[in-house]
Amino acid sequence: MGPKASFTYAAARAAFPDSSHQLIAFDSITEVIRSYEQDLVDYAIVPVENSIEGSVHQTVDYLFLQSDDTRAQAEIVQPIKQQLMATSADKKIEKIFSHPQAIAQSLKYLQCHFPDAKIESTDSTAYAAKFVSEHPEKNYAAIAPTASSLEYGLTIIAQDIQEIDENFTRFWLLGHTTPKIPLPVETEKMTLALTLSDNLPGALYKALQIFADFGINLTKIESRPLKTFLGEYFFLIDAQFSENYLYLIHALEKLGITVKRLGKYKVYKMS
């Protein structure tokens, strides 16, 4: 997602460093996933969660509600550093552009140092940097990675403006097969989406009890609206991978719980 020098581009290049692999950019997460489903690309890489702002709902909701058999084959964790950049250091910044997640991660800094600047969302951080570079006559700035300043000839006017130093984003690599990724492996996980039976009292408790019975540690649980009626949800669960994966799913389904497998994958860490 996004042009060259975006965070997603960096994750894609880390997974596929060989220059023989062609990286193709799209304007939105939805377009990235659809391009994979339509066999226009072999793999798709999309952000799924940030440690400050939480889940990337466009990714999670699309994979659960619109995809039939699209699964994560790997996860890449990337440290995120947000930089404020403009065409020159002496600009009186009037408008700041970036992706909504980058804006949210940097909001405290912006409110403190640029309280009068207007903030406008873009489809990606790199697109924001590209847009600012194309309008040098304007008092514009962008929040984007360092690579974007180099790619689009911008000057970094404030470094590492994210609220928390320990800022990471998880990216999923979607595909039919697992490629060989030249990054260190941290752990192995699985992600399931559960839709609970309406007429089963304590359904969530009973579902979680099954994970406990199998001795499987959960790393995340989140509810998301089913987008049918108010108050109807599915539950997104990340857990440490277990060899009893299929037995676990069978046990959940015996309770009347609908289980959608979103992936079992190794987790790789970028430096």
Side-chain angles (χ1 to χ4, degrees), residues 6-261:
S6 65
F7 287 113
T8 314
Y9 178 91
R13 184 50 75 201
F16 300 100
D18 191 328
S19 59
S20 65
H21 294 118
Q22 182 184 6
L23 303 185
I24 303 174
F26 294 88
D27 290 334
S28 70
I29 290 170
T30 298
E31 289 181 63
V32 173
I33 301 174
R34 283 180 178 166
S35 71
Y36 165 73
E37 293 176 331
Q38 294 167 2
D39 294 324
L40 301 177
V41 295
D42 298 309
Y43 296 97
I45 295 182
V46 289
V48 67
E49 185 183 22
N50 174 261
S51 58
I52 296 176
E53 284 304 301
S55 291
V56 180
H57 294 150
Q58 190 177 355
T59 298
V60 171
D61 291 352
Y62 186 97
L63 290 175
F64 177 76
L65 297 169
Q66 299 186 52
S67 290
D68 291 328
D69 196 34
T70 300
R71 297 180 186 175
Q73 297 292 343
E75 177 174 296
I76 299 167
V77 179
Q78 180 180 179
I80 302 296
K81 303 290 185 183
Q82 303 289 4
Q83 319 299 333
L84 187 67
M85 57 193 69
T87 51
S88 69
D90 57 359
K91 290 277 186 181
K92 180 174 170 41
I93 303 303
E94 297 175 354
K95 188 178 284 190
I96 299 170
F97 298 85
S98 197
H99 186 272
Q101 287 258 343
I103 292 169
Q105 293 164 25
S106 311
L107 198 54
K108 281 186 180 179
Y109 180 90
L110 299 181
Q111 290 172 340
C112 179
H113 294 86
F114 298 93
D116 298 324
K118 294 183 179 178
I119 299 174
E120 190 165 318
S121 296
T122 58
D123 287 331
S124 78
T125 53
Y127 176 82
K130 183 174 182 289
F131 180 81
V132 169
S133 72
E134 292 170 347
H135 296 83
E137 76 285 359
K138 301 286 189 179
N139 290 327
Y140 290 168
I143 304 169
T146 300
S148 291
S149 68
L150 302 174
E151 181 70 22
Y152 301 110
L154 298 177
T155 299
I156 294 177
I157 59 177
Q159 292 184 317
D160 299 347
I161 65 171
Q162 68 280 351
E163 291 181 18
I164 300 173
D165 288 336
E166 292 295 309
N167 185 18
F168 296 88
T169 294
R170 301 167 57 202
F171 293 87
W172 275 357
L173 187 150
L174 311 176
H176 295 296
T177 59
T178 304
K180 186 176 180 180
I181 296 176
L183 291 171
V185 177
E186 284 209 322
T187 186
E188 192 168 3
K189 291 165 56 180
M190 55 186 177
T191 299
L192 303 174
L194 310 184
T195 306
L196 307 181
S197 174
D198 289 337
N199 60 358
L200 181 64
L204 179 58
Y205 166 80
K206 292 177 181 179
L208 297 181
Q209 183 62 52
I210 290 177
F211 282 90
D213 291 343
F214 276 88
I216 297 173
N217 288 328
L218 303 189
T219 59
K220 175 184 174 180
I221 179 167
E222 177 183 6
S223 63
R224 291 292 301 147
L226 278 170
K227 301 187 179 181
T228 50
F229 299 101
L230 184 65
E232 293 191 344
Y233 302 89
F234 70 91
F235 291 87
L236 189 71
I237 292 180
D238 289 349
Q240 295 295 322
F241 178 70
S242 169
E243 296 296 336
N244 293 319
Y245 179 64
L246 295 178
Y247 294 105
L248 169 75
I249 292 172
H250 178 68
L252 291 167
E253 290 174 338
K254 283 184 67 176
L255 282 178
I257 296 170
T258 302
V259 182
K260 185 166 187 177
R261 289 176 271 178

